[in-house]
């Protein structure tokens, strides 16, 4: 029998927590609630959490600070739910390591659909070996100066190691499995998010974050086509 998925809901609005608990419970998920960022982080450190839904405006530790802190050692899917709808806020959340950004007011069924989709992607990444695992070293993919560790979800570029979010890992893995191949935006979208709807800005943020971690010259934009992983200079 499969264990229930454990969902952390971090929000200082008790009504939001109750609403999400109602809908997630109906999908046989267990909700653990936190009313501030500090409590949320303590829960992540002590409990088996499969996915986190995080508000931005929380006391003690706001959502952005929480994401930045948890990304040091946690690789679970993180979805922001916030009333802050400016593009700069969405970009910041994604840049810090969020996997999705949902605006308030939200449709509960849409949140549930996104949670289920991100959980499926996360489970698939953990359990399904890719073709790269048939090569010399089953735990890494290497291309030029880049070494992608499949176990720790980290990338090492010129000796410097960085943690990757789930989406960053999936997209970079796709690039490194077939370097020098051009991937369209649709292909990047399908690889990183599957059936979760994202916009072009979200894709650009992910590419920008990967460039920061491996070098700006190695992921090239091919105008009118998409992106390509190239050899370092």
């Amino acid at each position: 029998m499969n264990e229930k998925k454990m969902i952390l809901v971090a929000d200082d609005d008790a009504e939001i927590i109750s609403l999400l608990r109602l809908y997630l419970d109906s999908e046989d998920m267990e909700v653990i609630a936190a009313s501030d960022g500090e409590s949320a982080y303590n829960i992540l450190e002590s409990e088996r959490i499969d996915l986190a839904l995080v508000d931005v405006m929380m006391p003690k530790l706001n959502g952005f600070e929480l994401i930045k802190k948890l990304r040091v050692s946690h690789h679970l899917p993180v979805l922001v739910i916030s009333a802050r709808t400016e593009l700069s806020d969405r970009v910041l959340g994604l840049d810090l390591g969020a996997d999705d950004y949902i605006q308030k007011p939200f449709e509960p069924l849409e949140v549930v659909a996104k949670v289920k989709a991100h959980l499926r992607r996360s489970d698939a990444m953990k359990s399904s070996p890719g073709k790269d695992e048939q090569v010399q070293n089953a735990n890494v993919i290497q291309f030029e100066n880049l070494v992608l560790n499949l176990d720790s979800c980290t990338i090492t570029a010129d000796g410097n190691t960085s943690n990757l979010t789930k989406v960053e890992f999936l997209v970079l893995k796709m690039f490194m499995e077939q370097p020098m191949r051009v991937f369209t935006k649709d292909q990047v979208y399908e690889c990183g998010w599957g059936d979760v709807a994202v916009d072009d800005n979200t894709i650009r943020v992910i590419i920008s974050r990967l460039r920061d971690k491996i070098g700006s010259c190695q992921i090239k934009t091919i105008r009118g086509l998409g992106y390509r992983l190239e050899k370092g200079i």
Side-chain angles (χ1 to χ4, degrees):
M1 183 176 178
N2 293 332
E3 291 184 334
K4 277 189 174 183
K5 294 295 185 182
M6 305 290 286
I7 311 299
L8 171 64
V9 178
D11 199 306
D12 60 349
D13 187 330
E15 291 185 5
I16 293 290
I17 291 176
S18 295
L19 179 64
L20 290 173
R21 188 190 300 276
L22 176 66
Y23 278 84
L24 292 170
D25 279 351
S26 70
E27 295 291 336
D28 201 31
M29 301 180 199
E30 184 170 342
V31 170
I32 299 180
S35 59
D36 62 78
E38 188 176 289
S39 298
Y41 185 76
N42 290 335
I43 290 171
L44 285 164
E45 289 288 279
S46 60
E47 301 287 345
R48 177 191 62 80
I49 301 297
D50 296 295
L51 181 145
L53 292 164
V54 176
D55 185 26
V56 172
M57 294 179 285
M58 293 187 294
K60 296 186 180 180
L61 199 67
N62 69 41
F64 292 147
E65 293 168 336
L66 173 61
I67 294 169
K68 184 176 181 179
K69 188 173 182 179
L70 73 85
R71 278 303 180 218
V72 173
S73 57
H74 296 278
H75 303 290
L76 76 165
V78 177
L79 283 62
V80 173
I81 299 183
S82 177
R84 294 173 61 165
T85 59
E86 294 294 326
L87 177 60
S88 59
D89 291 318
R90 296 182 63 192
V91 169
L92 177 58
L94 294 166
D95 195 40
L96 289 172
D99 297 290
D100 210 334
Y101 198 105
I102 302 167
Q103 297 181 6
K104 294 180 180 178
F106 56 81
E107 168 53 55
L109 290 175
E110 180 185 3
V111 175
V112 171
K114 284 179 176 285
V115 166
K116 291 167 69 175
H118 280 285
L119 287 172
R120 285 195 298 270
R121 299 289 288 175
S122 181
D123 288 345
M125 189 174 76
K126 291 174 185 176
S127 62
S128 299
K131 64 182 180 181
D132 50 274
E133 296 183 11
Q134 307 301 319
V135 299
Q136 278 187 323
N137 190 328
N139 297 315
V140 302
I141 307 174
Q142 186 165 1
F143 173 69
E144 293 284 308
N145 62 320
L146 306 176
V147 179
L148 180 64
N149 189 307
L150 304 176
D151 294 330
S152 63
C153 294
T154 57
I155 182 66
T156 301
D158 295 322
N160 299 312
T161 299
S162 302
N163 291 318
L164 297 170
T165 67
K166 179 195 69 173
V167 173
E168 290 171 351
F169 175 83
L170 291 170
V171 172
L172 186 55
K173 180 172 176 282
M174 177 182 70
F175 283 142
M176 290 185 64
E177 286 178 342
Q178 299 185 67
M180 309 304 294
R181 172 184 168 179
V182 176
F183 290 94
T184 66
K185 287 182 181 179
D186 285 345
Q187 289 170 319
V188 173
Y189 157 81
E190 177 65 25
C191 174
W193 291 271
D195 51 1
V196 179
V198 297
D199 55 26
D200 285 356
N201 285 327
T202 302
I203 294 174
R204 284 195 290 269
V205 168
I206 291 295
I207 296 298
S208 176
R209 279 163 37 184
L210 288 175
R211 283 172 172 155
D212 288 342
K213 293 177 179 181
I214 71 173
S216 59
C217 64
Q218 289 196 249
I219 299 179
K220 184 174 181 179
T221 300
I222 309 300
R223 188 176 297 276
L225 294 175
Y227 303 96
R228 179 174 68 203
L229 180 66
E230 299 191 337
K231 297 180 180 180
I233 297 176

